Amino acid sequence: MKTVTLLMTNSMTCSPLRRRLLLVMLSFACFWVLPTVQAVSPAPDGGYPNGNTAEGAFALQNLTTGVHNTADGFGALFSTTSGSHNTADGDIALASNTQGDFNTATGAHVLVRNTTGNLNIALGFFAGQNLTTGDNNIDIGNVGVAGEANTIRIGGDTGDGTQTATFIAGINGVDKSSGNPVFIDANGQLGTGSALQGPTGPTGPTGPTGPTGATGAPGTNGTNGTNGATGATGPTGATGATGPTGATGEGFVSGAYLELAVGTPAPAGYTLLGTARIAYRDTNNIKASVTVNLYRKN
């Protein structure tokens, strides 16, 4: 047994950080000095040189110089020779890969045709099975396209029809109205761009007349305008026809008396007899008098 001697100090005077460091050092020392003991029994198999792990018939069957590959499943990484840092989990996952590096395939027949493509990720039955040499693709539940690169595909027909609805958390209710609108082309590819206003469509038919609204309150009366200027006097109309002569009035009889204010001429047929003074009350009920001429009818 190996003996490890650690330099210890009074833990009462050490800082918390220094005490944690000492515990870590002690743990590593115990790991190295204790005999090797497996955590499970029987011990797991599949460990190979250069950090490679294989589990399943024909997994990593042709590996030569590749390092740090993990193959779990029948025929997983079957053709890999010099490819490194690949993970294949599922029946014939990455089975055609030869030199591709850093690929991750989870599911049966996933990335089964990839040969030299790198940094591809595929998840789900048949996911990425059409990829061959492209790099940096992500195919989730999608068979992918041969030779394409730098593409993300989510969902599609991998044997049981295409999905018809999509629900993604963290989108609804998040206001990004200041950004660019998202468009989907005829092939289903997403992208952004500027929304262009199309031409104005034809006017639709007039809708039915709505019900009459409630009568509003009367408005206030406006101020009266100024009077306009008086118009010019129109021309004098034609003289109307002379009416019939009326019946002769009876008039004063002979011997009748007539009083006229002094200075007022008497009609014909009267004789001045003299003057007379007549007393009366005016409109203010004040006594007054006036001198008149007295005439008599001849």
Side-chain angles (χ1 to χ4, degrees):
M1 177 182 291
K2 296 180 181 180
T3 302
V4 177
T5 303
L6 297 178
L7 179 62
M8 305 294 291
T9 59
N10 189 343
S11 62
M12 296 299 293
T13 60
C14 293
S15 66
L17 177 59
R18 294 183 63 184
R19 287 198 295 271
R20 285 195 294 269
L21 290 174
L22 290 174
L23 289 174
V24 171
M25 294 171 63
L26 180 60
S27 298
F28 277 110
C30 292
F31 175 78
W32 286 108
V33 301
L34 292 177
T36 302
V37 177
Q38 295 292 344
V40 295
S41 180
D45 58 0
Y48 297 94
N50 298 321
N52 293 294
T53 301
E55 183 69 36
F58 305 109
L60 277 174
Q61 178 73 25
N62 296 291
L63 183 67
T64 55
T65 60
V67 299
H68 296 286
N69 293 290
T70 300
D72 182 11
F74 174 82
L77 285 170
F78 173 82
S79 301
T80 297
T81 56
S82 59
S84 299
H85 300 281
N86 296 292
T87 300
D89 183 11
D91 180 33
I92 63 172
L94 276 168
S96 300
N97 185 74
T98 57
Q99 302 175 19
D101 299 326
F102 300 102
N103 295 292
T104 301
T106 302
H109 296 230
V110 175
L111 288 174
V112 67
R113 293 186 176 91
N114 184 77
T115 57
T116 59
N118 304 302
L119 295 165
N120 295 298
I121 299 172
L123 172 63
F125 177 67
F126 277 171
Q129 71 161 343
N130 291 336
L131 289 177
T132 54
T133 59
D135 299 334
N136 197 33
N137 298 289
I138 299 176
D139 289 338
I140 300 175
N142 189 283
V143 295
V145 176
E148 74 178 358
N150 306 310
T151 302
I152 298 174
R153 293 179 180 271
I154 301 175
D157 188 358
T158 58
D160 197 23
T162 300
Q163 295 79 22
T164 58
T166 302
F167 298 87
I168 301 177
I171 295 177
N172 186 30
V174 179
D175 184 6
K176 293 296 180 183
S177 56
S178 60
N180 294 325
V182 175
F183 297 90
I184 305 175
D185 67 10
N187 297 320
Q189 182 176 357
L190 296 174
T192 61
S194 300
L196 300 177
Q197 184 174 357
T200 303
T203 303
T206 303
T209 303
T212 303
T215 303
T220 56
N221 292 330
T223 56
N224 292 331
T226 57
N227 292 332
T230 302
T233 303
T236 303
T239 302
T242 302
T245 302
T248 301
E250 183 174 319
F252 287 100
V253 297
S254 178
Y257 293 91
L258 175 64
E259 295 177 342
L260 295 174
V262 175
T264 300
Y270 285 84
T271 300
L272 178 61
L273 299 177
T275 59
R277 193 165 186 83
I278 300 174
Y280 66 95
R281 291 182 179 273
D282 62 13
T283 57
N284 294 321
N285 202 28
I286 297 175
K287 291 181 179 181
S289 62
V290 63
T291 301
V292 300
N293 289 326
L294 180 63
Y295 296 90
R296 185 176 62 185
K297 177 71 174 174
N298 297 331

